[in-house]
Amino acid sequence: PAGGGAAIGPLCCSLTGPGGVPPPPAAPRRFLHQQKAECRFSNATGREQVRYLFRHIYDRTEIARFDSARGRFEALTPLGEPDAEYWNSQKEELEYRRASVDRFCRHNYEIVGPFAHGRRVQPAVTISPTKDDPLSPRTLLLCTAASFYPREIEVRWLKNGRRATEGVFYGEELHNGDWTYQTQVMLEDTPQRGDVYACQVEHASLQTPITMQWGMPRTSDSARSKVWTGVVGALLGMVYLAVGAALGGRRSSLGGA
């Protein structure tokens, strides 16, 4: 019993600190520290304004940042207070961050900006009709806009000149990995003869929207086609009879000689 008590005593008392207060939790063995530089451009006031942010992130929480609008570091959590106080005491560090507005933001924007901001690539638009069930009267019309830049685009379906809102399903803008994007918009409907569907695409690269049409043939058009087929057939029959009669008469004259 004495030996058992001696063994239990230290184990019990090690769970609490002085005065019965639990010890602080041990620091995690693995953590993620990130540093992110961000440039923000704006001309809302008529003048170009550039703001530089240098962020310090511990795991998923931003603990401190340098903001060029303030010209110094600021702590966002108690964990970032010692770091912000130390960096603000370093004259060279502050001068380096303050100069980053020109050195990092404006300098890189002059290089990348004309390519990224002014670049325009027109979308290639196609319509693909499919049937999910061959026995079903419903048809799936898929409009694809491919290889366009910038990313913002508007794709809409029109039925007989009016915007279709029911049975329309929008896909995401997918990045192709070559500075271009693609997207698809599907329309599910039951086409009737004479219905005309159109996929209309608006994009920054276009002066006017692109409109691609798909439609069912009209009944009158089908009947007119049948009439013309009958007329052509009758004419061919008359020509055939005339040629036959001419050849028959020629054979008779040759036989008499």
Side-chain angles (χ1 to χ4, degrees):
I8 294 175
L11 178 61
C12 176
C13 296
S14 65
L15 297 178
T16 59
V21 179
R29 294 184 178 181
R30 298 182 62 181
F31 62 90
L32 178 65
H33 178 244
Q34 304 178 67
Q35 295 179 341
K36 292 185 178 182
E38 178 180 332
C39 297
R40 296 184 179 181
F41 297 86
S42 173
N43 59 355
T45 61
R47 295 181 54 191
E48 182 188 63
Q49 296 178 334
V50 184
R51 185 180 177 189
Y52 169 77
L53 299 174
F54 187 63
R55 305 174 180 273
H56 290 265
I57 302 170
Y58 179 83
D59 279 344
R60 297 183 179 182
T61 303
E62 185 178 4
I63 62 173
R65 72 169 64 159
F66 175 86
D67 188 346
S68 63
R70 298 178 178 270
R72 57 188 289 109
F73 286 89
E74 54 183 337
L76 303 179
T77 67
L79 185 61
E81 291 178 358
D83 290 334
E85 183 178 352
Y86 172 75
W87 291 323
N88 286 330
S89 67
Q90 304 297 309
K91 182 179 178 180
E92 293 183 358
E93 176 68 15
L94 285 177
E95 291 179 352
Y96 180 82
R97 295 300 166 192
R98 290 167 180 167
S100 293
V101 175
D102 295 321
R103 177 187 56 81
F104 180 74
C105 293
R106 287 192 172 95
H107 172 74
N108 288 328
Y109 183 77
E110 291 178 359
I111 298 174
V112 182
F115 176 77
H117 183 68
R119 187 169 183 258
R120 298 287 186 270
V121 180
Q122 294 186 4
V125 182
T126 57
I127 294 179
S128 304
T130 61
K131 271 188 173 292
D132 198 17
D133 182 0
L135 301 179
S136 174
R138 299 187 69 80
T139 299
L140 303 179
L141 298 176
L142 189 65
C143 179
T144 302
S147 302
F148 58 87
Y149 187 89
R151 180 176 182 173
E152 294 74 20
I153 193 170
E154 184 173 357
V155 182
R156 64 174 68 96
W157 273 105
L158 304 177
K159 179 179 179 180
N160 298 328
R162 296 183 178 181
R163 182 167 185 173
T165 56
E166 297 183 359
V168 180
F169 305 92
Y170 295 88
E172 298 181 7
E173 290 85 9
L174 302 178
H175 195 281
N176 294 327
D178 59 353
W179 284 82
T180 63
Y181 295 85
Q182 63 175 321
T183 190
Q184 293 181 323
V185 179
M186 185 179 70
L187 172 63
E188 184 178 7
D189 199 16
T190 304
Q192 305 295 326
R193 289 194 178 276
D195 284 342
V196 177
Y197 297 85
C199 177
Q200 192 174 78
V201 177
E202 293 186 11
H203 189 253
S205 63
L206 304 171
Q207 293 184 353
T208 58
I210 293 178
T211 302
M212 298 289 292
Q213 288 189 347
W214 181 89
M216 296 287 289
R218 295 180 180 272
T219 304
S220 58
D221 294 340
S222 178
R224 188 181 299 112
S225 177
K226 292 180 180 179
V227 170
W228 276 107
T229 301
V231 171
V232 172
L235 290 174
L236 288 176
M238 294 175 62
V239 171
Y240 177 78
L241 292 175
V243 172
L247 291 176
R250 184 178 180 185
R251 289 194 188 97
S252 299
S253 61
L254 289 175

